[in-house]
Amino acid sequence: MAVQAADNDGTNVEVDVHLNDSLMNPGLISPDKEDLSRLLTVPFSGRIRGGMRPGKKIIVMGIVDLEPDSIDVSLTCGRDSEKEEQQQPPHDVALKLTVRFTDRQFLRSARVSGKWTVEEASTSYFPFIPNQPFRVEIHCEHQRFRIFVDGHQLFDFYHKVKSLSSIDTVRIQGDLHITKLG
C-alpha cells in the first residue's frame, strides 16, 4: 500500500509503508504519530510489524542534505518515547548504521544489555554524496544482516541480538530527507 504525504516544502511524495519479505508476508512500518504530514520527517521512528526474520528487508530511500555531518539508521528492540527511555535502561540496538561525512566512514555497531559493541568500519568505498539520492537495503538473514547501498553489497553484520522477532523499530536521524520507506 502506498500513502501520499506532503513533504516540508509541500511537494507530494509516495511512501511505501509495507515491508516485504521473500515469503510475501507484508510487515508494516507505521510512524509513531499517525499524522501523515509528519510521516517522513527526520528524526523518524516506525514500527516493524512482527519484528525482523530471515527473508525480511528494510529499504530506506532518501536524499543527503547539501552540507551533511552524519546519518544514522538503527534497528532497535522497543518503541518507547525518548522521555521514557531516559527513565529505563536503554533498548537493545540490533544494528546501528552511522554515515560520517567528515572522515567518509560507514560504521556499524550494536548495543546489547546496555553495552555497545566495537564499531566495524571497513568498506570498499563510500557511496554517499551530498545533495544526491541514495537507497539503503538491510537484508535480514539467519546469521547476519547484509547491507546494500545503491545496489552494491557493502558488508555483512553478524547478529548480536539473537531474538530477531524482538527487533521491532526502525529509527532514522541525521542530515537527510527520507523519500521512501519499505
Side-chain angles (χ1 to χ4, degrees):
M1 172 172 75
V3 176
Q4 290 287 337
D7 209 358
N8 289 344
D9 63 0
T11 18
N12 284 332
V13 290
E14 186 174 296
V15 182
D16 186 3
V17 293
H18 284 286
L19 293 177
N20 293 316
D21 61 23
S22 61
L23 301 173
M24 300 306 290
N25 293 325
L28 181 65
I29 288 185
S30 56
D32 284 343
K33 298 184 180 178
E34 294 301 321
D35 180 2
L36 289 178
S37 66
R38 297 175 162 252
L39 187 62
L40 297 176
T41 58
V42 176
F44 174 86
S45 179
R47 181 171 57 104
I48 304 168
R49 182 178 291 165
M52 293 301 290
R53 65 182 168 273
K56 189 175 263 192
K57 66 181 171 180
I58 306 286
I59 299 172
V60 178
M61 295 174 67
I63 300 173
V64 177
D65 285 354
L66 187 57
E67 296 180 13
D69 289 320
S70 66
I71 295 172
D72 291 321
V73 177
S74 298
L75 302 181
T76 67
C77 304
R79 302 176 28 122
D80 292 344
S81 71
E82 295 296 322
K83 188 181 235 183
E84 292 169 345
E85 282 182 17
Q86 292 172 1
Q87 298 168 359
Q88 299 175 5
H91 292 289
D92 285 346
V93 176
L95 173 65
K96 180 177 182 182
L97 300 175
T98 301
V99 178
R100 286 197 324 223
F101 288 88
T102 53
D103 54 359
R104 298 176 54 84
Q105 291 286 318
F106 193 10
L107 309 171
R108 53 259 182 220
S109 60
R111 182 176 60 205
V112 181
S113 300
K115 296 184 180 177
W116 285 99
T117 62
V118 174
E119 283 184 323
E120 299 175 18
S122 62
T123 56
S124 54
Y125 74 105
F126 186 77
F128 299 95
I129 301 168
N131 207 34
Q132 294 296 310
F134 66 87
R135 176 186 175 111
V136 173
E137 295 183 29
I138 303 169
H139 295 233
C140 184
E141 297 182 355
H142 287 283
Q143 301 292 319
R144 64 189 169 216
F145 291 111
R146 190 158 267 183
I147 288 75
F148 295 80
V149 178
D150 297 331
H152 300 282
Q153 181 187 344
L154 290 191
F155 48 80
D156 292 340
F157 186 80
Y158 286 86
H159 296 306
K160 312 301 190 260
V161 173
K162 301 303 181 188
S163 173
L164 298 180
S165 63
S166 69
I167 304 167
D168 62 0
T169 304
V170 60
R171 298 175 190 267
I172 304 167
Q173 60 187 9
D175 302 313
L176 76 155
H177 298 285
I178 303 168
T179 56
K180 189 171 185 177
L181 296 173

